[in-house]
Structures are given as C-alpha cells and as structure tokens.
Amino acid sequence: MHVRITPSILNADFNNLDSEIAKVAADSDLIHLDIMDNIFVPNFTFDFGSASKIISNCPIPVDAHLMVAEVDRIGIEYAETGASSVTFHIEASENPEKLITEIKKRGVRAGVAVKPNTPFNEIIDLVNLVDMVLIMTVEPGFGGQSFMGDQMAKVAQVRAALNSTQRDVWLQVDGGISAETIEIATKAGADTFVAGSAVYKSEDPAEMVRKLRFLAENQLNNL
Ligand code: DX5
Ligand code: ZN
C-alpha cells in the first residue's frame, strides 16, 4: 500500500489560491478540490468555470470531489477539465455504473464517495469498477468538523473487499484528518488522506503534509 496526502483547499485563502497551492505542491500527491453546489450540500464553493481554471492552473494533479446534484451529467463535464481523478457521491447518482464508465473512458480515475449514514452495502458492487472509494469521516459541506471514528468499521469493510481484488484501488478518507486522527484511519485501512484545516490552519502547511505522511507511513509499516 502507498500513502497519499491530498490537501483540501476548502479552508485556504480563496483569493490567493495559486500561492496557497504552491505552499504544499512539492509535498503533496494531489490537490483535493471540493465542489459544492448548495443543493447536494448546504454550501457553495466554485462554479464549473472557476473550478476548471483552478484545475488547469494547478501544478500537480487534481482530485475533484463533487458534492453536487445531477452528478451523472456534471461528473462527465469534470472528467473533461484535466482533473486526474473525479469522485462523485453515490447518493447523488442515478446510474453510477454508467458514470464510472464515462469518467474512465476519458482517461480519468473514477471515485465513488459515501456520506456517513450511507452503508458500504450501497457501493459493494462498484468496488470492482472504481479507482477510488471515498469514505466521508464528516457530513460533507464544511471543513473544520470533528473526525467521526465510527466510520472506521466501513473503512475496514472496504479494505477487506479491496484485498480480494488485484486492482489498484485507492481508499480515501475525508473530514477531520489531522496528526491526531490519521493513524486511526490508516489502521482501519485507508491509504489516501484529505486534510483541509489541519494543513491550512497550521503555521507551516508543507511541514504538516510531511508530518501526516510520516505518521501514516509509520502506522502502515507497523500493521
Ligand atoms: C468536507 C470536504 C472536505 C473538507 C475537509 O465536505 O469534503 O474535503 O475540506 O476539511 P477538514 O480536513 O478541515 O475536515
Ligand atoms: Zn472533500
């Protein structure tokens, strides 16, 4: 397993995104971009035009996390922006198999996300199709919330299912990931970590990314 740190810019300074991204680019695997439409979640971040610009200007690959309604259509549009990975919520999709196929057809990694109250059962059949599973460890919508440790059973269920496939599927957690919680999520089976406020509220964001990676890799070696 390989540890990936994907900082979320949700809590960064939106007026200076280039320099905010530059702070962590050298130490991060991908930049996690949260797209919220104020329909699927009660918050709004970027419209398609602004998100596309961020994606094309980003010096490292972008992991687009779509928290939007009508994702069967919008997900395909995002797969054409140059994003490296497009993740949609199972709760927002009417035809997840088709959406995964359409995203992958464009040479983009396809991810499926589940909210805390959505059981693993809802995505069990998709594990063999996707490139990433995202287990939310907060209710999607806002940064800075507390990590939900009760989601670790679901992370472990996904890891067990992935262990029986030979495919390279990433297992991401998002919400409340920090130096205090990353080892818990690693132990449960996650290998890809979104961290928003832990990174951008720290004095030295790059150092925090390195610290998170060190903690996760260390925990992984001890498993
Ligand atoms: C929440 C977003 C997260 C958020 C995480 O809906 O999907 O990516 O930025 O922020 P923290 O790390 O502060 O919980
Ligand atoms: Zn996110």
Side-chain angles (χ1 to χ4, degrees), residues 194-213:
V194 179
S197 40
V199 168
Y200 279 103
K201 291 214 156 93
S202 99
E203 295 271 295
D204 184 342
E207 179 56 31
M208 179 54 73
V209 172
R210 290 192 290 269
K211 182 174 182 179
L212 292 170
R213 187 187 303 284

Side-chain angles (χ1 to χ4, degrees), residues 100-112:
I100 292 165
T101 306
E102 293 294 332
I103 294 171
K104 287 167 67 166
K105 218 197 266 175
R106 287 160 173 85
V108 174
R109 294 182 67 93
V112 65

Side-chain angles (χ1 to χ4, degrees), residues 153-165:
K154 207 192 293 178
V155 172
Q157 282 179 308
V158 178
R159 176 51 63 200
L162 294 181
N163 282 344
S164 59
T165 77

